[in-house]
Amino acid sequence: MVTTYVSAQHAVIARNLPWGVTGSSPLTTAVQQHISLDIHHYSDQAALEAAANRAEIYGGFVPQGNTVVIAEAASLVSPAQLPALYEQAAKPKGQKLALKVTNKLPKQDPLGVVPGIAVFVLLVAGYLGSTLAMQRTGTAAARRRVLSLIGHAIVAALVFDVIIGPILGACPDVGSNFWPLWGEFALMCLAVALFAATLQSHIGPIGTLVAIVIMVFFGYPSAGGVSGTAYLPAFWQGIGPGLPPWNGTTLVRNTLYFDGNSITQPLVVLSIYVVAGAALVTLLTYGRLLWWRGAKKRRSPISPEEEGGIAAIPPA
């Protein structure tokens, strides 16, 4: 865990940071000598700001008005870094810059940490829910396990939503965001629970450990955190979009701070985990994928003590 978390976050250096421009400028060229930018071209400032509001870019530069546009909710690092680099490039030329900030973080979450914290709790709730369901049924592939996990995800998501919104007021527009977040929390929790259940059904109690390693040790560091995915090393940028933590963090963040834009991919990926997990757990329940083991090689019931010992491994 030390290796994965430190590897992902010890060097906060931008790599192919999505950045918009409305024309060529020597200032942007100078900035690119200090930071890796993935340049996107737009017709005018309005189009650039619209792209920032859709979470497609972290901001951009408008040479026509020497304006730096920053999407504050996209990253905790870029709002300070990019304007400073443009100021550094503009100073020798005697040029003055303007700053336009979009997607400002609300007073309830000034550092943008709520989406990441919520997703981490949902990760733990997901694999623990699957583990408890296994203990309750007595075997790794008990019937009706999918239905029990669906119920667990719905209830757990509701509890988290009530705590984060009405009780703590940790997110903006509690009234309008409550229902979307409930569904998103449930989807995230269920995706992780069914992923863990699939592994548990196939390889037994060690499946819990494998699920923790994949989701917590590799998945969560690749979510980007408050710095944003662009500030992760290439390896972590590559694996993140294929794992639930990145998609869950992006889904919640874009719902809260980007008006629900650019959430199609996270919804699709998490839904694939749910559908595939439910199908595999169901098939494994009826032994259709265990034919090669033969009747004598089927697993015996897993004791609560055995599975609980593995589940007790702390995630952080």
Side-chain angles (χ1 to χ4, degrees), residues 175-189:
S176 59
N177 284 323
F178 181 87
W179 300 109
L181 287 180
W182 185 11
E184 292 169 3
F185 288 170
L187 181 64
M188 176 68 194
C189 184

Side-chain angles (χ1 to χ4, degrees), residues 36 39 62 64 70 72 101 132 140 149 164 171 189 199 206 219 222 224 228 238 241 255:
S36 171
I39 299 295
V62 183
Q64 293 82 354
I70 287 291
E72 186 178 75
V101 179
L132 292 173
L149 290 178
I164 290 173
C171 62
C189 184
L199 293 175
I206 196 65
S222 66
T255 296

Side-chain angles (χ1 to χ4, degrees), residues 110-172:
L111 299 180
V113 299
V114 169
I117 293 174
V119 166
F120 185 83
V121 176
L122 291 167
L123 285 177
V124 178
Y127 76 73
L128 282 182
S130 178
T131 301
L132 292 173
M134 181 188 297
Q135 292 180 344
R136 178 66 181 83
T137 57
T139 61
R143 290 171 173 76
R144 297 185 297 277
R145 195 160 170 220
V146 172
L147 291 177
S148 69
L149 290 178
I150 291 175
H152 163 74
I154 292 174
V155 174
L158 177 60
V159 172
F160 297 159
D161 201 10
V162 170
I163 293 174
I164 290 173
I167 295 180
L168 297 179
C171 62

Side-chain angles (χ1 to χ4, degrees), residues 46-316:
L48 189 151
E49 290 183 16
N53 292 333
R54 294 191 300 269
E56 296 175 0
I57 55 177
Y58 282 50
F61 183 64
V62 183
Q64 293 82 354
N66 272 5
T67 302
V68 179
V69 177
I70 287 291
E72 186 178 75
S75 170
L76 193 64
V77 179
S78 60
Q81 184 182 48
L82 269 302
L85 289 174
Y86 272 95
E87 285 282 359
Q88 179 181 332
K91 188 175 182 179
K93 302 179 184 299
Q95 297 182 18
K96 299 293 184 180
L97 298 179
L99 179 64
K100 175 68 178 292
V101 179
T102 68
N103 304 99
K104 294 183 179 181
L105 289 167
K107 62 180 181 180
Q108 296 92 337
D109 185 23
L111 299 180
V113 299
V114 169
I117 293 174
V119 166
F120 185 83
V121 176
L122 291 167
L123 285 177
V124 178
Y127 76 73
L128 282 182
S130 178
T131 301
L132 292 173
M134 181 188 297
Q135 292 180 344
R136 178 66 181 83
T137 57
T139 61
R143 290 171 173 76
R144 297 185 297 277
R145 195 160 170 220
V146 172
L147 291 177
S148 69
L149 290 178
I150 291 175
H152 163 74
I154 292 174
V155 174
L158 177 60
V159 172
F160 297 159
D161 201 10
V162 170
I163 293 174
I164 290 173
I167 295 180
L168 297 179
C171 62
D173 303 321
V174 173
S176 59
N177 284 323
F178 181 87
W179 300 109
L181 287 180
W182 185 11
E184 292 169 3
F185 288 170
L187 181 64
M188 176 68 194
C189 184
L190 186 57
V192 175
L194 288 172
F195 179 80
T198 301
L199 293 175
Q200 291 163 346
S201 299
H202 188 60
I203 60 177
I206 196 65
T208 303
L209 178 60
V210 175
I212 293 173
V213 169
I214 293 175
M215 293 295 177
V216 179
F217 288 13
F218 285 90
Y220 193 72
S222 66
V226 295
S227 298
T229 306
Y231 287 91
L232 292 174
F235 170 77
W236 298 101
Q237 287 185 7
I239 69 172
L243 297 173
W246 183 94
N247 289 281
T249 303
T250 301
L251 178 61
V252 175
R253 184 195 66 210
N254 288 5
T255 296
L256 291 177
Y257 308 138
F258 289 91
D259 299 320
N261 286 296
S262 299
I263 63 174
T264 300
Q265 177 182 337
L267 287 173
V268 170
V269 172
L270 292 175
S271 297
I272 290 174
Y273 272 89
V274 168
V275 173
L280 289 172
V281 171
T282 301
L283 290 175
L284 288 167
T285 295
Y286 290 94
R288 295 175 185 174
L289 296 184
L290 302 179
W291 57 269
W292 67 88
R293 295 182 181 178
K296 296 182 179 180
K297 295 183 180 180
R298 300 290 175 85
R299 282 190 179 82
S300 60
I302 295 172
S303 68
E305 293 78 10
E306 182 182 17
E307 181 64 16
I310 295 178
I313 296 174

